[in-house]
Every structure is written in structure tokens, then in C-alpha cells.
Amino acid sequence: MNDTTRTRTVLGGVLLGAVTVATWAAWLGWNTGYRTDPATGSTTGPYSVWQVAGAVLTLALVAAVAGRRMRPWLVAPVMTVAFTAAWSGNAAATDSSGLWVIGAVLVLVGTAIGTIVVSAISSACRPA
């Protein structure tokens, strides 16, 4: 690997991490409150279904585009670590029970599986 390729790889990874954290912030970072239905008393939150769906679809698009430009071995760990770190930082700051760790593991595993699959398929579809 020459210096130009190495520099492009590092810059691509940094940009990918920034876009991934921005995805978390845009979809999930601003909503931390729980909602209680006055009629049923059930509590939901902190995210709505449409927020999580939007985040997942955006991450899939980012992984697909990145998979066409970079190798999946770079895309998957960068996106997984960036998204999990952003989610965990917020969750740890707002959860006094310590259960955020379980959520962090689930976010880590789900993000890893999703980014591996999407970036690998996208990379395989790249023109030779």
C-alpha cells in the first residue's frame, strides 16, 4: 500500500465515521424522552419507530455507497464502532440502571451484521 492509498483509506475511514455519527445525531440523538399514553398508562420511547427505520435505512445507504468505494473490512468496523459509540455515549449518560450496556451490545451486533452484509454485497457489485 503506497502513501496515497493509505492517506485515502484513512481519510475515507474518518469521513465514514463522521457520517455515521451524524446519522445517529440526525435520527436518534435529539429525542431522549419517554412518552406515557394517558389512556393505557403504557410507556414508550425514547425513539419512535419512524426514527429507528430512518436511521437503519440511512445507515444501509451509507454502507452501500461506502462499500462501492472502500473495502468491507474497513466499512463494517468503522460504521459499527462509530454508531455504537455515539449511541452508547448518550445511553450511558441518560440511564441510571446500567441496562444501556445490553442495548449497546444489541446495537453493536445489529450494526455489525447490517454493515457487513450491505457493504459486502455492494462491494461485490462493484464494476471490475
Side-chain angles (χ1 to χ4, degrees):
M1 182 183 279
N2 62 36
D3 287 343
T4 303
T5 304
R6 186 174 297 119
T7 301
R8 289 181 68 193
T9 301
V10 169
L11 290 176
V14 169
L15 179 62
L16 180 59
V19 169
T20 303
V21 170
T23 298
W24 170 82
W27 287 105
L28 306 175
W30 52 271
N31 193 2
T32 58
Y34 287 85
R35 294 164 299 285
T36 303
D37 184 336
T40 64
S42 65
T43 303
T44 59
Y47 311 118
S48 297
V49 172
W50 64 269
Q51 288 176 280
V52 175
V56 169
L57 291 174
T58 304
L59 289 173
L61 177 63
V62 170
V65 170
R68 300 270 301 187
R69 300 184 179 276
M70 296 182 252
R71 299 287 182 216
W73 61 261
L74 176 64
V75 174
V78 166
M79 289 186 71
T80 300
V81 169
F83 194 82
T84 303
W87 187 91
S88 296
N90 183 19
T94 58
D95 178 30
S96 61
S97 70
L99 291 175
W100 70 268
V101 175
I102 295 169
V105 170
L106 295 173
V107 168
L108 177 88
V109 170
T111 306
I113 291 169
T115 55
I116 288 168
V117 169
V118 172
S119 64
I121 290 170
S122 180
S123 181
C125 295
R126 179 181 11 198

